[in-house]
Amino acid sequence: MKPSLFKDICGTFATGVTIITSRKLNKDYGFTASSFTSVSIDPLLILFCLDKKAKSNESLNKNDFFVINILSKSQEKTCFQFANPELNPEQRFKKINTKKSENGIKIISGCCSFLECKVTKIIDGGDHYIYLGECISGNIDENKEPLIYHKGNIL
């Protein structure tokens, strides 16, 4: 199968959009990801995938903390800001309102919900790493609608 067909087929699966934030050596990291899913209830586990070339890998070692920020419909601009490969980690957070989690990770204001997690395992997944994380806290804003990604478009 050609990679372009594979990408098109996977793009027919509608998914939510997240920004995953982390921190290492007093430096904040964040990136847009739609490759996020729940894994287990006992224990509470999620996973996400990240390109091996991404700078955010520097901040995600076993036992490090991260936050899954599930974006709301009003955060399309934020989605693209964190997806822009031209921006360094500091520039991605410019003009973004945040608060800090219990473990000092930035939580983006205005999201539908968030989960704070701890990296439990990193798995080689071809050109990506698969991060498995145990959920330790989170919250929902019942008044927000999620941002959806489908066939290369934000809905």
Side-chain angles (χ1 to χ4, degrees):
M1 176 185 303
K2 291 183 180 178
S4 59
L5 176 59
F6 174 77
K7 287 173 76 173
D8 288 346
I9 291 169
C10 290
T12 65
F13 181 69
T15 183
V17 183
T18 69
I19 292 176
I20 299 171
T21 53
S22 55
R23 185 170 178 79
K24 190 73 153 204
L25 302 173
N26 296 319
K27 186 175 184 180
D28 295 302
Y29 293 82
F31 61 93
T32 300
S34 59
S35 62
F36 156 75
T37 190
S38 60
V39 175
S40 170
I41 297 294
D42 186 18
L44 299 171
L45 297 175
I46 57 87
L47 72 74
F48 69 89
C49 302
L50 179 59
D51 189 310
K52 287 181 176 178
K53 294 180 246 166
K55 290 206 180 292
S56 288
N57 286 302
E58 297 172 10
S59 70
L60 291 164
N61 298 304
K62 192 169 180 189
N63 296 321
D64 285 333
F65 295 96
F66 62 92
V67 170
I68 305 283
N69 298 273
I70 299 174
L71 299 185
S72 66
K73 276 187 176 180
S74 66
Q75 294 179 302
E76 184 174 343
K77 182 179 174 187
T78 304
C79 165
F80 289 117
Q81 184 167 326
F82 278 83
N84 185 343
E86 302 295 317
L87 299 180
N88 66 38
E90 295 82 21
Q91 293 169 318
R92 289 182 178 191
F93 284 96
K94 190 173 184 178
K95 297 185 180 179
I96 303 294
N97 292 325
T98 63
K99 60 183 178 180
K100 291 203 176 184
S101 74
E102 295 172 17
N103 292 291
I105 310 302
K106 287 191 173 182
I107 299 168
I108 297 172
S109 300
C111 288
C112 287
S113 55
F114 77 89
L115 286 167
E116 184 170 20
C117 308
K118 184 177 183 179
V119 176
T120 58
K121 192 170 192 176
I122 303 169
I123 303 160
D124 189 314
D127 58 3
H128 281 62
Y129 290 118
I130 302 164
Y131 288 90
L132 194 63
E134 185 169 6
C135 303
I136 56 175
S137 68
N139 202 3
I140 298 173
D141 184 337
E142 298 287 350
N143 299 313
K144 303 282 183 183
E145 299 265 339
L147 189 64
I148 304 294
Y149 183 73
H150 181 247
K151 290 188 175 181
N153 296 305
I154 298 292
L155 308 173

